[in-house]
Amino acid sequence: FLRVELSDAKNLNIWLQENTLQFSAQGHGAKGDNEYMFSLEFLEPVRPERQVDIKVKKKVERWWDRLTLQEKNLFLAPDFDRWLDESDAERSCRELKKTGLKLEKHSETYLGLKKGYLFMYNLVQFLGFSWIFVNMTVRLFILGQDSFYDTFHTTADMMYFCQMMAVLEVINPLLGLVLYSHVTGRNVILFVIFGSLEEMQNQPAVFFVFYLWSSIEIFRYPFYMLACIGTEWKLLTWLRYSLWIPLYPLGLYLKVTVAVIQSLPIFDETRRFSLPLPAALIYLVLMFWVRPPHSNIHLFILSQHPQFHLF
């Protein structure tokens, strides 16, 4: 069964072959009043026979003694493959209604649980990032630039909590609750760079990164929270999508050019998260010349352990 969502269809052309189906018509669809066409190639051969099935829904669901107002029509005949007498029709109607009510009840229960879970998740995240934002703002007004240097020690626990909660944003799309997530980049900055390097925890970069993250989330999470209950505040919607325009590139700049670049010398000095390879293994892997196809470029390795020079 194939249904084409097209109203007021005109100039209908359907071409059915053993392996393909082609359709074209003029009508009102997703792109307004336009000409629509498509072609399908079936997985396996079909019978190239066509018939027209018309589904008519009764305005009031009850038994009809006959189909038409006129008692006899020479071109009409019963379809005995779908024949139901009055008792069968009533029983079938009751079963369909009963099944539909059960499915509707289960669907409403699932949607209620889904909306409740997403509402509470967004509410908790909103409260967490609001605490961070208010805490940092108050400390900035009281201490001035001195608050830049102890941001990590005063707000890291709450930021850890919010980002660990944000792992659910990876699970939620897998369960079909939401469509997408984005938490990986922040976790690298928070746990790997700020969390593992004590030298980075007193840097002003922590203040600016945390303040930027919280500024974004105090508008993003309430927007999703209200969406769970079918409510929209136009000002909140505007802030959620407008602040993102300047804050996203600014956040990228802070993460890459400030946090990551400042941490590279520390990682190089401490060798943290480094995996040294023995010289013998490198010799074994790179003992042959590497020649790219259709090129005269060669790779030479001159070893002066512990450094390797590539030419």
Side-chain angles (χ1 to χ4, degrees):
F1 297 95
L2 298 174
R3 181 173 68 180
V4 181
E5 295 285 355
L6 201 61
S7 60
D8 301 327
K10 301 174 184 177
N11 303 326
L12 190 66
N13 292 308
I14 302 175
W15 184 42
L16 180 64
Q17 288 188 316
E18 195 174 58
N19 294 308
T20 59
L21 170 68
Q22 294 183 356
F23 173 91
S24 67
Q26 180 80 24
H28 191 82
K31 297 182 179 180
D33 194 4
N34 210 330
E35 184 178 359
Y36 296 87
M37 61 183 64
F38 65 85
S39 177
L40 299 177
E41 186 173 356
F42 298 117
L43 179 65
E44 295 184 8
V46 299
R47 297 178 182 177
E49 303 168 358
R50 277 206 303 134
Q51 66 180 25
V52 178
D53 290 325
I54 302 175
K55 185 177 181 180
V56 181
K57 215 168 187 180
K58 297 176 181 176
K59 192 171 184 179
V60 179
E61 293 185 1
R62 63 184 182 87
W63 174 260
W64 286 7
D65 292 328
R66 59 180 183 273
L67 176 66
T68 61
L69 181 63
Q70 186 179 351
E71 291 190 12
K72 293 183 179 179
N73 288 280
L74 298 177
F75 62 89
L76 290 179
D79 184 354
F80 290 103
D81 292 335
R82 302 181 181 182
W83 175 264
L84 294 175
D85 59 24
E86 186 172 359
S87 59
D88 293 335
E90 290 178 354
R91 184 169 59 251
S92 176
C93 185
R94 285 196 302 268
E95 289 176 354
L96 286 173
K97 285 184 177 180
K98 189 176 180 181
T99 304
L101 288 173
K102 286 182 178 179
L103 291 174
E104 186 177 352
K105 186 177 180 181
H106 289 315
S107 178
E108 289 179 355
T109 302
Y110 169 74
L111 288 176
L113 292 173
K114 172 184 173 181
K115 289 182 179 179
Y117 159 72
L118 291 175
F119 181 88
M120 290 304 300
Y121 168 77
N122 288 296
L123 175 61
V124 170
Q125 290 288 66
F126 168 65
L127 293 176
F129 280 105
S130 296
W131 184 92
I132 296 172
F133 181 82
V134 172
N135 180 283
M136 295 179 64
T137 303
V138 172
R139 289 177 57 82
L140 178 62
F141 278 106
I142 296 175
L143 302 176
Q145 294 185 3
D146 292 339
S147 65
F148 292 174
Y149 304 99
D150 61 350
T151 299
F152 185 86
H153 302 289
T154 56
T155 60
D157 290 339
M158 182 60 71
M159 187 63 77
Y160 279 146
F161 171 79
C162 291
Q163 284 305 118
M164 286 188 289
M165 282 281 293
V167 174
L168 293 174
E169 295 186 27
V170 178
I171 301 174
N172 291 339
L174 299 178
L175 299 178
L177 300 178
V178 294
L179 297 179
Y180 62 90
S181 68
H182 56 91
V183 296
T184 308
R186 286 189 183 181
N187 286 340
V188 172
I189 299 295
L190 178 62
F191 293 101
V192 177
I193 295 180
F194 293 158
S196 65
L197 299 178
E198 294 184 5
E199 297 87 345
M200 287 295 299
Q201 294 172 5
N202 297 322
Q203 296 294 327
V206 179
F207 174 87
F208 293 110
V209 170
F210 281 14
Y211 204 76
L212 180 72
W213 288 352
S214 59
S215 299
I216 294 173
E217 305 303 14
I218 59 175
F219 297 108
R220 186 170 75 95
Y221 282 115
F223 170 80
Y224 289 132
M225 184 175 65
L226 294 178
C228 293
I229 57 176
T231 304
E232 180 185 5
W233 292 351
K234 292 185 177 180
L235 178 60
L236 181 62
T237 303
W238 183 86
L239 289 171
R240 186 262 179 275
Y241 287 108
S242 299
L243 288 178
W244 175 86
I245 298 173
L247 293 183
Y248 182 80
L250 181 60
L252 187 63
Y253 169 78
L254 288 174
K255 286 191 291 186
V256 175
T257 64
V258 178
V260 175
I261 292 180
Q262 284 187 8
S263 65
L264 287 178
I266 304 174
F267 279 118
D268 185 55
E269 181 180 351
T270 60
R271 298 293 179 182
R272 187 166 297 175
F273 304 123
S274 299
L275 182 62
L277 296 176
L281 178 61
I282 299 177
Y283 289 140
L284 181 63
V285 174
L286 300 176
M287 64 183 299
F288 300 101
W289 290 17
V290 179
R291 177 178 298 178
H294 311 295
S295 173
N296 293 323
I297 299 175
H298 298 81
L299 174 66
F300 297 92
I301 300 175
L302 301 179
S303 174
Q304 296 177 354
H305 186 72
Q307 295 179 342
F308 295 91
H309 302 277
L310 301 180
F311 298 92

